[in-house]
Amino acid sequence: MSSVPKKTDVILIGAGVMSATLGSMLKEVAPDWEMKVFEKLEKAGAESSNEWNNAGTGHAALCELNYTPQKADGTVEIDKAIKINEQFHMSRQFWSFLVNEKRINNPQDFIMPIPHLSMVQGADNVDFLKKRFNALTQVPLFDGMEFTDSPEKLKEWMPLIMEGRTSADPIAATKIDTGTDVNFGALTQMLFKHLEQENVEVNYEHSVKNIKRLSDGTWEVKIHDMKNDKIEYHTAKFVFIGAGGGSLPLLQKTGIPESKQIGGFPVSGLFLVCNDPELINQHHGKVYGKAKVGAPPMSVPHLDTRYIDNKKSLLFGPFAGFSPKFLKTGSNLDLFGSIKPNNLLTMMAAGAKEMGLTKYLVQQVMLSNEKRVEELREFIPTAKLEDWDVVVAGQRVQVIKDTEEKGKGTLQFGTEIVTANDGSIAALLGASPGASTAVHAMLEIFNRCFPEYKEEWAPKIREMVPSYGVSLADNPDLFKEIHEMTDKALGLNETDLSTAEIADAADESVKERV
């Protein structure tokens, strides 16, 4: 047992896409800082960031209908879609910077172009989709989106979905060709490979047992070296908890006031994966439908072309389930262990509010594989059970907290950043859009945790993310240039703009606003 703490500047807990992103960005703005990473599994990106454990859509709000709710007056709200799309473009810019600077190679190993489609059935839903299309296409971010309710056009866009369809219900879809498929597991491993080359100490099979504040304001992290079965202590000025579903219990150990009155509700998931190469080749796109009435946003059904290990796959889901574990590799006591005196009332209030969700999850758990294929047939009428295998997806822990708008015990469907008042520790909680908007989340951590470096880091941040501080929705010319630049850098298309030219254009836009 090593009782003498080892000092460092930054400790990152969890070797997933969030720690990989924050570590990579910090290395650019503060290359001299010492950094250590602790991960309990044997390699990076093996839990929540793993390609089989997340949807890999590259959430850009191009096809996800839950980001564009219909209001009581019939209009479609698009603010969230615009925000998420802009945030995804920040990620694309940072990835492009890393490629252009030779920090990572072969972007096609983690990102591929793929059409994003939204499909609905029934007259009311077709009307909603048309309104959504009309609203989104007023914004430059969604240029190129098409709408059709023509059966002939739909057969052209999604032949597998239209084949054998006998229902008389009207059907419609939107399609945009600028979507992507992102393998976040592969991206995470690329980023950690780069970090290790930059002398970042990455420790696998090291589990965090406790986090406590010392009298000098630094944080002491108690680590179990699982391989050698010994305890170590490390101290740092700044700690980031990016442990996926495991972040909440670690945040609670810090004792910071911001960790109180927060709970977590774990949701597991299953996907059907096609095992027939012929069927896989008949479909090309990510097709998102509408969640059923009473179903939570994370249950939106989608039929996805995926590229995993450079091989084309076809997945359908998710089917929600329940496990008290906060991670796939977690413990059945995770949920119960997270209930504390300070969040008990919050958790109880959520339980009373979310009876519908509980009922839905029970129904999902009880589904047989045949019943799952019946749901698949709403997308692929000719689907056969023998052509599909079941894969268990990752655990997602939805945040429960008290909000002014919805009161005590509100279930949050999204990504939450929790930071100490002095910015010395930060945690990332929640689920989708998650990984897709990691760069935006990390820039938010920069703002909250390192405000004293704002001026010093600004030029480098502008170099990494040229649109930072600029609304792409309000600057169509800049958006077009950035889109073309990132397409080129990431191998999604061919164009001739450089990162420097984009940064200059963004600078001009900022000057005009000021």
Side-chain angles (χ1 to χ4, degrees):
M1 175 164 154
S2 171
S3 57
V4 181
K6 299 173 184 175
K7 291 184 178 181
T8 192
D9 294 311
V10 173
I11 288 176
L12 306 177
I13 300 173
V17 70
M18 294 300 178
S19 290
T21 302
L22 181 57
S24 299
M25 294 175 76
L26 278 173
K27 261 295 158 191
E28 296 296 333
V29 295
D32 297 333
W33 287 10
E34 284 188 11
M35 206 180 303
K36 291 180 182 175
V37 184
F38 297 100
E39 165 60 53
K40 75 171 189 176
L41 300 181
E42 295 175 4
K43 63 178 184 177
E47 236 314 335
S48 304
S49 303
N50 180 269
E51 53 271 25
W52 290 106
N53 287 344
N54 65 64
T57 303
H59 283 293
L62 299 174
C63 58
E64 304 92 334
L65 299 176
N66 53 310
Y67 295 148
T68 51
Q70 191 164 16
K71 295 193 283 191
D73 65 1
T75 58
V76 175
E77 177 60 65
I78 64 170
D79 288 355
K80 187 173 183 179
I82 291 170
K83 185 170 77 173
I84 289 173
N85 188 278
E86 290 191 324
Q87 291 174 6
F88 180 64
H89 277 284
M90 294 171 89
S91 293
R92 280 181 51 138
Q93 289 168 68
F94 180 58
W95 301 337
S96 299
F97 166 81
L98 293 173
V99 171
N100 289 336
E101 295 295 318
K102 305 291 189 284
R103 307 284 199 264
I104 58 175
N105 302 314
N106 304 325
Q108 65 273 18
D109 288 344
F110 79 88
I111 187 167
M112 294 286 279
I114 193 88
H116 282 199
L117 297 95
S118 304
M119 180 195 78
V120 297
Q121 300 176 68
D124 288 347
N125 287 333
V126 169
D127 181 57
F128 156 74
L129 191 66
K130 188 68 189 284
K131 286 178 180 174
R132 176 183 182 271
F133 167 76
N134 288 335
L136 288 178
T137 48
Q138 300 301 309
V139 183
L141 305 174
F142 302 93
D143 278 352
M145 182 178 281
E146 300 174 75
F147 171 92
T148 190
D149 54 6
S150 155
E152 288 72 29
K153 194 70 174 173
L154 290 167
K155 281 176 191 170
E156 185 186 312
W157 285 0
M158 40 190 200
L160 190 60
I161 287 174
M162 294 303 290
E163 185 184 338
R165 190 167 288 278
T166 56
S167 170
D169 269 357
I171 181 169
T174 58
K175 176 173 177 276
I176 186 163
D177 291 326
T178 53
T180 53
D181 175 65
V182 184
N183 182 329
F184 286 107
L187 173 63
T188 301
Q189 291 186 14
M190 288 178 184
L191 293 177
F192 272 107
K193 185 179 177 184
H194 162 61
L195 285 173
E196 290 186 83
Q197 289 168 349
E198 294 291 319
N199 299 317
V200 172
E201 184 186 305
V202 185
N203 302 277
Y204 297 109
E205 296 181 88
H206 280 63
S207 175
V208 175
K209 295 300 177 189
N210 199 20
I211 307 171
K212 73 172 185 179
R213 189 159 216 164
L214 301 180
S215 56
D216 64 357
T218 61
W219 290 94
E220 181 185 81
V221 182
K222 181 182 178 183
I223 308 281
H224 178 212
D225 175 350
M226 298 155 70
K227 212 170 188 179
N228 299 304
D229 194 23
K230 65 177 184 179
I231 296 294
E232 300 173 357
Y233 292 88
H234 297 260
T235 63
K237 300 167 196 168
F238 174 75
V239 174
F240 173 66
I241 306 171
S247 290
L248 178 62
L250 292 174
L251 174 64
Q252 291 175 329
K253 289 180 187 296
T254 67
I256 61 172
E258 294 80 5
S259 70
K260 316 291 186 188
Q261 282 87 47
I262 294 181
F265 187 77
V267 178
S268 60
L270 299 171
F271 278 91
L272 293 177
V273 180
C274 186
N275 57 36
D276 183 345
E278 195 177 316
L279 282 180
I280 293 168
N281 288 327
Q282 284 179 47
H283 182 80
H284 189 70
K286 291 180 182 288
V287 182
Y288 272 57
K290 271 191 101 172
K292 291 185 175 176
V293 175
M298 82 284 248
S299 68
V300 172
H302 46 99
L303 181 69
D304 283 12
T305 296
R306 297 286 310 275
Y307 289 94
I308 297 176
D309 299 326
N310 294 312
K311 182 182 170 189
K312 194 174 179 183
S313 307
L314 186 59
L315 280 72
F316 176 78
F319 298 94
F322 176 75
S323 160
K325 294 180 179 183
F326 278 5
L327 293 164
K328 277 177 86 170
T329 54
S331 160
N332 284 322
L333 299 175
D334 285 346
L335 173 59
F336 307 105
S338 74
I339 300 171
K340 310 289 183 188
N342 67 65
N343 70 2
L344 179 59
L345 291 177
T346 299
M347 296 288 281
M348 289 174 66
K353 274 184 179 179
E354 300 293 344
M355 293 303 292
L357 173 60
T358 305
K359 181 183 174 188
Y360 170 79
L361 291 176
V362 169
Q363 289 171 341
Q364 288 278 292
V365 169
M366 302 299 288
L367 285 179
S368 64
N369 284 347
E370 182 55 57
K371 288 287 184 186
R372 292 188 183 104
V373 172
E374 276 183 30
E375 291 200 16
L376 169 60
R377 287 186 188 121
E378 292 184 21
F379 273 69
I380 304 176
T382 57
K384 298 173 188 169
L385 178 59
E386 60 266 27
D387 294 331
W388 298 81
D389 301 319
V390 175
V391 167
V392 179
Q395 287 287 105
R396 295 289 179 264
V397 178
Q398 308 293 151
V399 174
I400 297 170
K401 69 177 189 178
D402 306 335
T403 66
E404 284 185 23
E405 187 187 348
K406 296 186 178 177
K408 203 157 195 69
T410 302
L411 197 60
Q412 303 288 103
F413 295 103
T415 306
E416 298 268 332
I417 300 167
V418 180
T419 55
N421 188 45
D422 66 351
S424 62
I425 196 162
L428 196 118
L429 309 172
S432 180
S436 299
T437 56
V439 170
H440 171 267
M442 297 310 117
L443 287 170
E444 181 64 24
I445 286 174
F446 277 17
N447 286 335
R448 292 197 210 174
C449 300
F450 306 106
E452 68 273 29
Y453 294 99
K454 186 175 181 180
E455 297 301 321
E456 183 185 333
W457 291 357
K460 192 59 163 183
I461 291 173
R462 305 276 304 137
E463 192 183 333
M464 296 189 295
V465 186
S467 75
Y468 183 54
V470 182
S471 164
L472 290 177
D474 295 336
N475 290 273
D477 291 342
L478 179 63
F479 168 69
K480 184 170 182 284
E481 289 172 12
I482 280 178
H483 204 294
E484 288 176 0
M485 180 274 287
T486 56
D487 270 356
K488 181 184 180 186
L490 299 172
L492 303 174
N493 221 325
E494 288 301 315
T495 184
D496 298 317
L497 285 165
S498 70
T499 314
E501 288 171 323
I502 299 298
D504 289 344
D507 281 333
E508 285 303 314
S509 180
V510 170
K511 284 173 190 168
E512 285 171 18
R513 288 174 68 214
V514 172

